[in-house]
Amino acid sequence: MIVYILRRFLGFAATLLVAALVIFLLLDLLPGDPAQFILGMNATPESVARLRMQMGLDVPAPQRFAGWIWGMLQGDFGMSYTQRAPVAHLIWDRLGVTAPLSLFAMLISMVVGLPLGILAARRRGKALDTAIMVLAQTGVAVPSFWFGMLLALLFAVTLGWLPPGGFTPWHEDAGAALRSLVLPSLALALPQASILARVMRTALVDVTGQDFIRTARAKGLTMGEAVWRHGVRNALLPVLTILGLQFAFLIAGTIIVENVFYLPGLGRLIFTAISQRDLTLVRGATIVLIIAVTLTMLVTDLAYGLVDPRLREGPPS
Amino acid sequence: MRRLLAHPSLAIGLSATLLFALLGLVSLVWTPFPIADIDIGRRFLGVTASHWLGTDNLGRDMVSLLMAGTLTSFLVAALAVGIGAGIGVPLGLLAAAWGGPVEWLVLRFSDFIFAFPAVIVAILITTLVGPGAINAIIAIGIFNIPVFARVARGGALSIATLDFVAAGRLAGLGNTRIAYRHLLPNIMSLLIVQGTIQMSLGILAEAGLSYIGLGTQPPETSLGLMLRDAQGVFLIHPWLTLLPGIAIVLIVIGLNIAGDGLRDAIDPRLRQGPTNVLA
């Protein structure tokens, strides 16, 4: 098990390092001099040179890359020159919106999707199964940001139950903060729940046909007991894989849905940074997103090893 | 062909998809009104005799916009599938035919690409060269590469053990020939099914990217960009948001149903297996 964990961690670190290199090279290739861009076309060569030195642009690229990585390991993501604040601080602030939002969405999608999938599998071929699958087929096809708009129209504008957008910081009014995340999380959860329901159903139908369920039945368990005790746990394996993969989509969706509800999350930060050409900020925010995605994959892999001891031996195929 | 159309879901999905694709193609030669036709005086019209689905915030005809937008959405998704399959399939075949370190490298490479969701790639490209539909195509295309690589490798591996491949080897065919002549034709059906699914994901992704301003830019239009344009007025004129959204949902459902039906028609053993949608 220890070898398995170590191997996963090594893969995680390697992926992040290469990803950081790709981001660094891409943004470094950018035509034009950031210092010149900040100071404008009328700046004297001396002031440009001075700013380049302040920004550390006069150091050779390999050294700058190493410096960036070393800084990040210590929690220093550099300074944003448009916001005049440490990038780490800015990102941390915005994560207060983006992180709870994606986690809530994940939670809702599991609470809704998995039971529906189990229900459909147990009633396979019946009307309920068909109804759930039609619902899921539709749910997969709905863009979460568009669904968010519809939710806002219904629950915020027509019914007035929840705010249509905006965000009250957690430390001012946690209840209000939570309320402004309800609709966006629901919007994000719909396609995810649909996918989970479909995967759960397929996995459970697959598992139900296998010998160990028959053995459990032969031991005197009812079908419901057998499926619940032996089936669901085994069916969770493919579900776990999809959950890990889907998290990447969820993060992408979060960035987009934030836009619908005017939430001051990571997405907003990135779009402002792009339009103001704040490269340090873009670089920092993208690597944080990639860390989130890669970390989820790592956790999925580890959870996989925990649920299924057979996988600890070799790499999961 | 008749055998294929015997599957009702395939027939329904395929005709829905083709209908939208056709509407998009027609927009190349004819739309009820030119989509660049801005007429502020005639904005926010409801359904009228000349504007069947009304007009948008700039007085542009919604039917024309939907037709042109559908074409862009299809094009972006199709080109992205082209990129994904064009690079991913050879990679997957390479991994299956050579095995060993080549396979290891291909697998690590696809794992790595999975760490870059399309949005992040689009963010990076947009920072580099500014926004545009090309960004969306590249970003979604890159996301498609590992998907096709895995499907191609998986399919090829299950065929590589069959006798006719061994016969090919005995006849002196090299890895490249084996991959091209024996493996590729036999995984074609798998690839077509995957392509359909990636098309639907691509259309969703294009909508998202254009909506946040990282994709298609005016004066071009796409279903996602229409949603972006409608954003500011959607509380007062929800119609403008509803229409493109419904178009997206219908196209994506059509493609998904077609994909499911295609899978059933080609290989009934794979029935009810949406797990390979993203694996």
Side-chain angles (χ1 to χ4, degrees):
Chain A
M1 187 68 192
I2 290 174
V3 177
Y4 178 79
I5 294 178
L6 275 181
R7 260 228 303 263
R8 295 288 135 215
F9 264 106
L10 218 63
F12 169 67
T15 306
L16 277 187
L17 197 65
V18 181
L21 185 64
V22 170
I23 292 178
F24 181 84
L25 286 178
L26 270 178
L27 296 185
D28 213 52
L29 281 175
L30 200 69
D33 183 346
Q36 184 85 54
F37 182 81
I38 297 169
L39 293 173
M41 287 333 257
N42 298 325
T44 59
E46 292 78 41
S47 55
V48 172
R50 201 164 51 236
L51 185 64
R52 281 180 63 86
M53 208 172 74
Q54 276 171 15
M55 293 171 69
L57 288 172
D58 53 338
V59 190
Q63 241 168 299
R64 258 185 295 145
F65 179 66
W68 180 47
I69 299 288
W70 184 240
M72 280 197 295
L73 287 177
Q74 295 162 316
D76 175 13
F77 284 63
M79 285 289 280
S80 152
Y81 51 80
T82 53
Q83 315 242 8
R84 310 219 168 268
V87 168
H89 189 89
L90 291 170
I91 293 176
W92 183 251
D93 255 11
R94 301 308 183 98
L95 277 180
V97 177
T98 305
L101 180 53
S102 32
L103 289 179
F104 288 159
M106 188 90 156
L107 212 65
I108 297 174
S109 65
M110 282 163 72
V111 169
V112 175
L114 296 183
L116 282 181
I118 295 176
L119 208 62
R122 295 288 293 126
R123 299 272 183 280
R124 189 181 173 197
K126 305 266 172 57
L128 187 64
D129 177 24
T130 315
I132 293 176
M133 283 306 110
V134 167
L135 211 65
Q137 182 76 268
T138 316
V140 183
V142 174
S144 50
F145 67 95
W146 182 68
F147 187 54
M149 293 171 155
L150 299 188
L151 286 178
L153 198 61
L154 179 61
F155 291 104
V157 181
T158 313
L159 296 171
W161 293 352
L162 290 156
F167 187 74
T168 319
W170 291 98
H171 58 83
E172 277 176 29
D173 184 350
L178 199 62
R179 269 201 300 284
S180 38
L181 291 186
V182 172
L183 291 182
S185 334
L186 280 177
L188 281 167
L190 173 77
Q192 305 295 331
S194 310
I195 292 170
L196 285 184
R198 291 176 67 169
V199 176
M200 186 73 215
R201 176 186 179 279
T202 311
L204 203 54
V205 166
D206 267 4
V207 164
T208 311
Q210 285 185 13
D211 289 344
F212 60 82
I213 295 288
R214 196 158 7 129
T215 310
R217 293 271 288 136
K219 276 171 27 191
L221 268 65
T222 65
M223 196 60 193
E225 283 170 344
V227 166
W228 186 246
R229 279 207 220 151
H230 301 282
V232 171
R233 179 174 167 155
N234 279 288
L236 276 178
L237 279 171
V239 172
L240 210 56
T241 317
I242 297 294
L243 215 55
L245 283 173
Q246 283 301 316
F247 197 71
F249 285 91
L250 195 61
I251 289 180
T254 309
I255 291 178
I256 299 172
V257 166
E258 278 172 5
N259 227 38
V260 178
F261 293 93
Y262 301 99
L263 294 174
L266 217 47
R268 183 65 62 78
L269 186 70
I270 292 176
F271 299 131
T272 326
I274 293 178
S275 60
Q276 299 176 333
R277 284 176 101 62
D278 190 337
L279 299 188
T280 329
L281 194 47
V282 173
R283 201 167 68 177
T286 39
I287 195 79
V288 164
L289 288 177
I290 289 184
I291 290 174
V293 173
T294 326
L295 199 63
T296 329
M297 290 180 177
L298 176 72
V299 172
T300 322
D301 272 354
L302 293 182
Y304 229 97
L306 216 60
V307 179
D308 189 347
R310 285 168 300 182
L311 290 172
R312 286 173 211 160
E313 306 305 324
S317 56
Chain B
M1 197 63 202
R2 176 165 300 163
R3 190 172 64 90
L4 286 182
L5 290 179
H7 291 260
S9 63
L10 178 59
I12 297 170
L14 211 57
S15 17
T17 308
L18 288 179
L19 179 73
F20 274 101
L22 202 68
L23 272 178
L25 282 177
V26 168
S27 80
L28 281 177
V29 288
W30 176 84
T31 49
F33 290 82
I35 63 159
D37 214 1
I38 293 174
D39 184 356
I40 301 291
R42 299 180 60 79
R43 65 184 186 160
F44 300 133
L45 289 184
V47 176
T48 64
S50 59
H51 298 282
W52 303 327
L53 293 173
T55 57
D56 78 343
N57 55 332
L58 297 173
R60 293 176 295 180
D61 178 54
M62 282 300 276
V63 175
S64 314
L65 283 175
L66 281 172
M67 286 170 68
T70 302
L71 180 69
T72 316
S73 294
F74 263 101
L75 268 182
V76 169
L79 289 173
V81 167
I83 293 178
I87 301 176
V89 173
L91 279 180
L93 289 176
L94 210 67
W98 265 265
V102 177
E103 185 169 33
W104 185 85
L105 215 63
V106 169
L107 286 178
R108 292 294 80 75
F109 173 73
S110 25
D111 279 351
F112 176 70
I113 299 286
F114 269 130
F116 281 86
V119 171
I120 296 183
V121 179
I123 287 171
L124 289 173
I125 304 176
T126 307
T127 316
L128 266 175
V129 297
I134 307 276
N135 300 4
I137 296 171
I138 296 175
I140 304 167
I142 289 179
F143 161 79
N144 281 339
I145 294 174
V147 178
F148 278 102
R150 286 186 170 228
V151 171
R153 172 178 165 270
L157 278 183
S158 67
I159 287 160
T161 53
L162 298 181
D163 288 344
F164 70 89
V165 177
R169 284 207 191 278
L170 284 178
L173 293 182
N175 279 336
T176 323
R177 283 275 183 96
I178 292 273
Y180 180 70
R181 264 215 224 153
H182 291 312
L183 300 182
L184 184 60
N186 282 296
I187 58 168
M188 224 40 190
S189 53
L190 273 180
L191 295 178
I192 292 172
V193 171
Q194 197 62 44
T196 321
I197 294 162
Q198 296 312 115
M199 270 296 284
S200 81
L201 287 177
I203 283 176
L204 282 174
E206 191 282 334
L209 291 177
S210 295
Y211 170 70
I212 52 177
L214 298 180
T216 313
Q217 297 295 312
E220 300 283 307
T221 191
S222 79
L223 297 174
L225 190 60
M226 289 178 74
L227 287 172
R228 179 183 177 79
D229 289 342
Q231 157 97 338
V233 294
F234 105 91
L235 294 181
I236 322 159
H237 301 283
W239 183 239
L240 300 182
T241 300
L242 279 176
L243 282 178
I246 291 172
I248 294 173
V249 173
L250 289 180
I251 295 173
V252 173
I253 290 181
L255 279 166
N256 282 341
I257 293 180
D260 287 354
L262 216 52
R263 182 171 44 213
D264 292 353
I266 291 167
D267 187 354
R269 279 171 307 164
L270 295 172
R271 183 166 304 185
Q272 302 300 351
T275 29
N276 75 340
V277 167
L278 294 157

